[in-house]
Amino acid sequence: LTLTNLGQYDAGNNEDVMFTSDSGTLDVEGSTNSYSDETISVLSGDTLTIGGSETLETDNVTNAGTLASGGSSTYTVIGDWTNNGTFTGNTSTVTLSGSAKQTISGTITGSSAFYNLTLTNSSGTIPSDCEITSWVPSVDFAASASTTNNYVITTASVKVEYNSASLYTFQNINWNGQAVGTPLYFRNSAASGSWILYVPGTRTALSYLNVSRSDASGTTQIDASNGTNTDCNNNTNWVFTSLTFAVDS
């Protein structure tokens, strides 16, 4: 079925249907019906392909089959992303834009890695210390994850929890909390150990970050020395301060 054909059976014609389909967008998030917390679920053995100029908008994505991107597809998700099948990212962008905690789980590495991942969810509660006391993240990575292109967080006050001892391979990063009072918070899922970071490509911005328990020992040193970032302890192979030497004449 094409999106045009799906439009003949969508919520605009029958309120019992949980999606609308129009102008290259498959909307499974209840904007025209009374449902909430909808899930696009790809069953084992099945394939859903989102075309290169098409968009999937939904609460939750649960994939046990094959979710394929036909090119630079767009996914806008306000709930959880669970991949226990195959996700083919191609040159797509996945944006997590919810207003409550979102969890990324399953297989998010190798052939199921994201191409571009953008986080705009700024919900949650900041920690009262350098660990996870009183902490509620905006986005919770429950397993290792990778991007083959960009991992972007440029929305103020996003709070991210990384799974302890899991590897996060992000080809390029762009992280900016925008201001002193709205930093990005990166925390380990446990008050011991660390989350493992590998960034082989470009590091853009790296401003207004509050980071703890990040082990970047397997990659080139992470330079966060522009004076806007906070070393909240137990970080490896990060540099947070720049040294200034005065020479007496």
Side-chain angles (χ1 to χ4, degrees):
L1 288 175
T2 66
L3 289 181
T4 300
N5 289 333
L6 281 173
Q8 299 175 29
Y9 307 100
D10 70 11
N13 296 293
N14 185 342
E15 205 273 342
D16 290 333
V17 178
M18 292 187 181
F19 67 85
T20 58
S21 175
D22 183 51
S23 301
T25 298
L26 177 60
D27 181 351
V28 196
E29 59 169 329
S31 58
T32 57
N33 61 47
S34 58
Y35 298 102
S36 61
D37 202 34
E38 292 88 353
T39 297
I40 186 76
S41 183
V42 184
L43 303 180
S44 179
D46 290 344
T47 298
L48 173 63
T49 300
I50 306 300
S53 61
E54 295 175 346
T55 297
L56 171 64
E57 297 178 352
T58 186
D59 284 6
N60 305 295
V61 170
T62 300
N63 178 38
T66 299
L67 178 58
S69 309
S72 54
S73 318
T74 301
Y75 301 83
T76 303
V77 180
I78 63 174
D80 297 335
W81 180 281
T82 305
N83 179 56
N84 292 312
T86 299
F87 170 65
T88 305
N90 208 325
T91 56
S92 65
T93 297
V94 174
T95 299
L96 300 187
S97 59
S99 56
K101 176 182 167 184
Q102 295 179 263
T103 299
I104 301 172
S105 62
T107 302
I108 318 294
T109 58
S111 61
S112 290
F114 296 115
Y115 182 72
N116 292 321
L117 175 64
T118 300
L119 307 185
T120 63
N121 181 347
S122 60
S123 69
T125 305
I126 65 174
S128 59
D129 54 21
C130 283
E131 303 295 350
I132 50 176
T133 305
S134 303
W135 161 254
V136 179
S138 313
V139 175
D140 180 3
F141 284 92
S144 296
S146 301
T147 65
T148 57
N149 195 39
N150 299 323
Y151 176 33
V152 177
I153 317 174
T154 55
T155 298
S157 301
V158 175
K159 309 157 193 72
V160 186
E161 181 171 304
Y162 299 95
N163 191 53
S164 187
S166 290
L167 173 62
Y168 297 92
T169 302
F170 304 126
Q171 179 63 34
N172 308 304
I173 55 176
N174 183 353
W175 296 339
N176 190 339
Q178 302 300 326
V180 171
T182 59
L184 308 181
Y185 285 86
F186 294 163
R187 288 294 184 269
N188 193 48
S189 63
S192 61
S194 57
W195 55 281
I196 304 167
L197 176 64
Y198 182 67
V199 184
T202 303
R203 298 94 181 270
T204 302
L206 271 65
S207 298
Y208 303 104
L209 310 178
N210 184 303
V211 185
S212 75
R213 295 195 177 276
S214 175
D215 181 356
S217 58
T219 193
T220 306
Q221 188 175 65
I222 305 295
D223 185 356
S225 63
N226 64 12
T228 69
N229 302 299
T230 299
D231 176 4
C232 222
N233 300 326
N234 297 297
N235 295 301
T236 302
N237 205 31
W238 286 69
V239 56
F240 285 90
T241 57
S242 57
L243 298 177
T244 301
F245 296 94
V247 178
D248 293 333
S249 55

